[in-house]
Amino acid sequence: MRRLALLLGLLALHQTHCFEFVVEGEWETETAIRGDDITVKSYKVESRITSRFCHTTVKSSVVNSGPNAQSIGFNVQIPKQAFITNFTMNVNGITFVGSVKEKTVARNLYAQARARGKAAGLVRANSQDMETFKTEVHVPPGSKIEFELHYQEMMQRKLGFYEHSLYLQPGRLVPQFQVDVYIYEPSGIASVETLNTLGEHFSGMAKLTSSKDKAHVVFKPSLQQQRKCENCTTSAIDGIFTVKYDVLRDSNAGELHVSDGHFVHFFAPANLSPLPKNIVFVIDVSGSMWGVKMKQTVEAMQTILDDLTMDDYFSIVDFNHNVRCWSEELVPGSTIQVAEAKKYIQNIKPNGGTNINEALMRAVQMLVKASNQGMIDPRSVSMIMLVSDGDPTVGEIKLSAIQKNVKKVMREEFSLFSLGIGFDVDYDFLERIAMENRGVAQRIYTSHDASDQIRRFYSQVSSPLLRKITVQFPEDSVSDVTQNHFDKYFSGSELVVAGKVLPSESTTLNSFTTASADRLDLSLQTEADYLELDAALAQQQHAFTGFARQMWAYITVNQLLVERSLAPTAGHKRKITQRILTLAVEHQFVTPLTALLVESEEGKERLLADSPNDPKQGCCAGGSGMAALGGRTPVQMVHSIPPWVQRTTPAPPSHAERPLPDHITIVENDPHFIVHLPKNNMDICFNIDSEPGHILNLVSDPGAGVVVNGQLVGSKRVGVEEKEKEKVNTYFGTISVFYQPDGIRVSVSTDRIDLTHGRNNHSFTWGATADITQDRVKVSIVKDSKVMVTVDDKITVMVLLHRVWKKHPTHVDFLGLYIPNNNQYSSQAHGLIGQFGQEPEVRVFNLHQGADPLKKKATMQVKGNKLVVTRGWQKDYRRDKKRGSDVFCWFIHNSGKGFIDGHYTNYIVPRLDSFLALPP
């Protein structure tokens, strides 16, 4: 491939400077600094990552220490998904400053400069696996040159982590060599590490310091440490420097960051069970796949097939000039079927032509047939995974016709993922056909690790957690929102929505996310203060304060580039082009439609950094799709904008809950039971003095199929002496609601809320408001406050969260329980609370003064027993969680003896989903 570089000539002539620019051919070297007899005084790289957006600066200071004039080059490799934002150069005191302009404007200025005989040059960045920025300056002896390049990119989460990679190839020993990576994540950093990607020579040299929300990685090898060997004069620094990290997430609702008049919403839920998938592998076995390509594809497929589960359905279509199916129908991913499929793959012998159209038609027909026959779970994910290394040569060979054919037969619930092996394939076509059908494409590089690249890509899409995700905001609160509807969310990835914040009297912005999981419908809510993050950023020395504004522009430009490539008409394409140009110039991004014009301070000399399109790279080489990093697995943004994107912000879903009546049965504190008897218009109180770990049955209703149990936790124990002297207080630490007909259990603890159904478990934290529906069970979570569980619209249970000071010597977090008396139990209901669904007759008489004048005593007649009771009060914390409101009641001593059926120990059950064996 021809690479174009700028050659700037600076010659001393009659004590004046004369410049001449020449466009030359390919450079032989890939090192950052090129030239003989030069001294690289310094080479410094600094990356500032704030809320997943990164601004990187590369600086180098070079001196021509030789006796003759010579050319000195500056070569920086940057990730494909990054946008260059500026380049400055100082040559012997003459400064060149960059500015991004519309490509036609920049080229006209460049042409005018050349026509007048002024300085002009062209820098093109276009290589196979990365952007390569190159410039070269010709200087006399003793000249000093300073280079400075800036670029920006969004960190993309893959398989649970963000990776920031820097290409370090100084080409020589550098006295001042330093790399600094500063990370600031407002929500907190979960983990951070440096990968040993530069080799064992530099193992352990990167120093990492981190706190809750900040991390700093510095790599600063001394001159001696840079040497390949003790007496070598060459540098061992040649490769990729990688920092890997992830952030803390309080909830599955995501994080909402508001700064500088813009917002960014990050959505990366975890602890959800994967959706079952239906997948048809479509594999090119034409003659061009012979040898290493086929061997690596087979190796990858062996591992991929092993990943399938019994809940998954699959088949294989292989094609050359003919199309064959391993199985005409989808089959479950059982051990036997997987073994048979692996044998089939192993015996494939590549030969013949390439009939892509017929192969894809067959794959779609297979999914359609399975869907029509009811084999496909409506909540499952159906996908086609195409692996090919060349253009079609048999059957329909017109790419646009194939694209139309596939789009016509693909159903809305199907997705197509394309893997293009090598550079013979038309990657632009694979990318278009994938994006039009709710998928993405990725180039597989024919190196020794091609099978790993295929496996890694599959890993990113093999675990779908959610479908039909939509992120919404209140009306008139935001504008210019980026893609806010996504077809799928895969485990370990991240969905990002950004936009502008409109002026408002409110001080907070809310976001509402709806999605479908495995048998679940979710509605999640989170919020952010308008000013809080800006105040925090102002206190950070190394944060990138303009991150939100630039990230919004970065995402928008990338999505527009994809829309432009899919534009159905020339007029539509022109409109999108103008929007891209306006944004790119405003935010100083070098895109395929803009250029970086670098001028001297007087404007007499000009350089042009140009980023042209390359059809083999696909439609969006600037950044949102696939990008290869130094021969490693290409970086991928799994959720590039598809054509079905919704940019609207409809009204958010309602989070209204069914209100509970004023008088209600309550269990609070240690645990104090307050049973409301509506017919008698009175409240009865009693305590249960049990042991930590015991599970008490509260409601057992085999007729309705509902059981409510609570597990006790004990207060903290200060020491052995106190343990022996004092009784341990107990509280409810977990409340479980089990609905037997649907096999669903909702388990609420002080840490999280779990929904379990068979082998599937979905976990949510208290960190966000959420509404969850699974079959006939509804769960509403109010952030850091309460959970409402409703079963079959007949039985409701509310759990209230009580947080205590973490350092308190004895207190622990606990739960309160609130159950309305109008729950529709069956006649079989029992339990400590359920038995009072059939309200007993109660008579209180013989009221008299007790030892405590505030607590009168009386006699209660109930269930054939006469009990001595005391008038007192307990607390209802629904309206005031700190102080509560008083509920006056008659207190029954001895763990409710005589009021409850039998002894309280009769209500201890073995598991959280256990019904009472026999009512007491």
Side-chain angles (χ1 to χ4, degrees), residues 540-583:
Q540 306 301 319
Q541 183 179 356
H542 298 289
F544 177 33
T545 53
F547 85 90
R549 179 177 181 271
Q550 289 299 98
M551 182 179 279
W552 167 78
Y554 176 95
I555 296 171
T556 302
V557 168
N558 274 309
Q559 292 180 355
L560 287 172
L561 285 169
V562 176
E563 284 188 32
R564 183 176 182 270
S565 74
L566 299 172
T569 65
H572 189 206
K573 188 172 185 176
R574 282 193 297 271
K575 289 181 181 179
I576 297 173
T577 299
Q578 191 54 51
R579 290 179 64 194
I580 295 171
L581 291 173
T582 301
L583 278 173

Side-chain angles (χ1 to χ4, degrees), residues 459-496:
S459 295
Q460 294 180 60
V461 300
S462 64
S463 186
L465 299 184
L466 296 173
R467 298 171 61 247
K468 302 185 183 302
I469 308 102
T470 302
V471 182
Q472 303 172 43
F473 303 88
E475 193 173 356
D476 298 328
S477 66
V478 297
S479 68
D480 299 278
V481 178
T482 61
Q483 177 187 359
N484 69 323
H485 175 79
F486 304 89
D487 190 63
K488 299 174 185 66
Y489 166 74
F490 296 98
S491 177
S493 65
E494 184 170 63
L495 305 181
V496 183

Side-chain angles (χ1 to χ4, degrees), residues 247-282:
V247 303
L248 291 171
R249 293 174 177 84
D250 283 343
S251 73
N252 278 341
E255 306 161 58
L256 188 57
H257 295 183
V258 179
S259 174
D260 192 22
H262 292 74
F263 74 86
V264 185
H265 179 91
F266 302 98
F267 185 65
N271 300 317
L272 299 171
S273 293
L275 293 161
K277 58 184 178 291
N278 318 293
I279 183 165
V280 181
F281 300 98
V282 181

Side-chain angles (χ1 to χ4, degrees), residues 95-112:
T95 301
F96 289 82
V97 180
S99 62
V100 175
K101 298 183 181 298
E102 181 181 338
K103 183 173 287 188
T104 54
V105 173
R107 282 179 170 173
N108 286 337
L109 291 171
Y110 158 73
Q112 291 169 20

Side-chain angles (χ1 to χ4, degrees), residues 365-672:
Q365 290 165 10
M366 201 176 292
L367 289 176
V368 170
K369 181 180 178 182
S371 179
N372 290 342
Q373 293 178 346
M375 291 176 57
I376 291 179
D377 185 330
R379 288 183 176 268
S380 64
V381 170
S382 297
M383 61 180 77
I384 296 169
M385 185 169 167
L386 169 66
V387 181
S388 181
D389 77 329
D391 293 339
T393 60
V394 178
E396 179 60 72
I397 61 173
K398 190 177 179 182
L399 298 181
S400 59
I402 297 174
Q403 195 173 328
K404 288 179 182 178
N405 291 342
V406 173
K407 186 177 181 180
K408 184 177 179 180
V409 298
M410 283 283 282
R411 291 188 176 179
E412 186 179 343
E413 63 268 27
F414 300 164
S415 295
L416 172 62
F417 297 92
S418 304
L419 295 177
I421 300 180
F423 286 89
D424 295 329
V425 68
D426 190 316
Y427 183 71
D428 184 56
F429 163 69
L430 292 183
E431 195 167 46
R432 285 172 180 268
I433 201 170
M435 288 183 175
E436 275 199 334
N437 295 285
R438 295 158 294 283
V440 290
Q442 179 163 312
R443 189 187 295 283
I444 302 299
Y445 296 87
T446 51
S447 58
H448 66 281
D449 68 341
S451 59
D452 288 335
Q453 294 177 49
I454 297 173
R455 283 192 292 263
R456 184 175 172 85
F457 175 84
Y458 175 77
S459 295
Q460 294 180 60
V461 300
S462 64
S463 186
L465 299 184
L466 296 173
R467 298 171 61 247
K468 302 185 183 302
I469 308 102
T470 302
V471 182
Q472 303 172 43
F473 303 88
E475 193 173 356
D476 298 328
S477 66
V478 297
S479 68
D480 299 278
V481 178
T482 61
Q483 177 187 359
N484 69 323
H485 175 79
F486 304 89
D487 190 63
K488 299 174 185 66
Y489 166 74
F490 296 98
S491 177
S493 65
E494 184 170 63
L495 305 181
V496 183
V497 179
K500 296 179 179 179
V501 178
L502 295 175
S504 171
E505 295 180 359
S506 173
T507 59
T508 60
L509 176 66
N510 291 277
S511 71
F512 304 86
T513 303
T514 57
S516 294
D518 183 23
R519 297 189 64 188
L520 287 183
D521 289 323
L522 306 177
S523 177
L524 309 165
Q525 179 182 342
T526 191
E527 63 181 21
D529 186 273
Y530 281 176
L531 305 176
E532 185 177 343
L533 182 53
D534 280 336
L537 288 170
Q539 304 299 316
Q540 306 301 319
Q541 183 179 356
H542 298 289
F544 177 33
T545 53
F547 85 90
R549 179 177 181 271
Q550 289 299 98
M551 182 179 279
W552 167 78
Y554 176 95
I555 296 171
T556 302
V557 168
N558 274 309
Q559 292 180 355
L560 287 172
L561 285 169
V562 176
E563 284 188 32
R564 183 176 182 270
S565 74
L566 299 172
T569 65
H572 189 206
K573 188 172 185 176
R574 282 193 297 271
K575 289 181 181 179
I576 297 173
T577 299
Q578 191 54 51
R579 290 179 64 194
I580 295 171
L581 291 173
T582 301
L583 278 173
V585 171
E586 180 184 351
H587 294 267
Q588 295 291 286
F589 290 150
V590 177
T591 72
L593 304 178
T594 53
L596 180 67
L597 187 70
V598 185
E599 302 179 281
S600 65
E601 290 177 325
E602 296 83 6
K604 295 179 179 179
E605 290 80 30
R606 291 180 175 134
L607 297 76
L608 187 66
D610 190 4
S611 180
N613 273 325
D614 174 10
K616 288 294 183 181
Q617 289 298 333
C619 67
C620 42
S624 72
M626 307 301 109
L629 299 183
R632 304 176 69 206
T633 304
V635 170
Q636 176 197 350
M637 185 174 176
V638 172
H639 293 279
S640 299
I641 180 171
W644 63 91
V645 57
Q646 296 179 3
R647 293 186 180 275
T648 58
T649 55
S654 171
H655 284 268
E657 61 183 43
R658 195 170 87 181
L660 296 180
D662 289 339
H663 297 288
I664 194 169
T665 293
I666 301 170
V667 185
E668 277 287 4
N669 290 309
D670 180 25
H672 305 312

Side-chain angles (χ1 to χ4, degrees), residues 30 32 43 45 56 58 75-81 129-131 151 153 164-170 177 179 198 237-242 627-633 635:
E30 289 297 330
Y43 191 88
V45 182
T56 298
V58 183
N75 171 18
V76 179
Q77 297 173 338
I78 68 174
K80 275 283 189 187
Q81 73 268 22
D129 52 4
M130 65 192 74
E131 297 286 359
Y151 63 88
E153 61 182 313
H164 178 52
S165 296
L166 297 168
Y167 304 90
L168 306 178
Q169 298 164 310
F177 184 95
V179 176
L198 282 175
I237 302 175
D238 184 2
I240 303 168
F241 182 77
T242 305
L629 299 183
R632 304 176 69 206
T633 304
V635 170

Side-chain angles (χ1 to χ4, degrees), residues 662-736:
D662 289 339
H663 297 288
I664 194 169
T665 293
I666 301 170
V667 185
E668 277 287 4
N669 290 309
D670 180 25
H672 305 312
F673 285 71
I674 310 171
V675 177
H676 179 66
L677 302 177
K679 292 180 181 178
N680 293 275
N681 192 27
M682 69 173 65
D683 293 285
I684 311 297
C685 299
F686 61 91
N687 296 343
I688 295 294
D689 296 323
S690 194
E691 298 292 329
H694 282 175
I695 300 172
L696 299 179
N697 175 255
L698 305 171
V699 176
S700 178
D701 188 352
V706 175
V707 62
V708 181
N709 291 326
Q711 185 166 30
L712 298 172
V713 294
S715 57
K716 298 174 186 174
R717 290 174 166 140
V718 179
V720 176
E721 292 183 4
E722 288 79 358
K723 176 181 175 182
E724 293 175 352
K725 292 179 181 178
E726 298 182 10
K727 170 187 168 292
V728 176
N729 291 331
T730 55
Y731 310 85
F732 279 128
T734 303
I735 301 291
S736 171

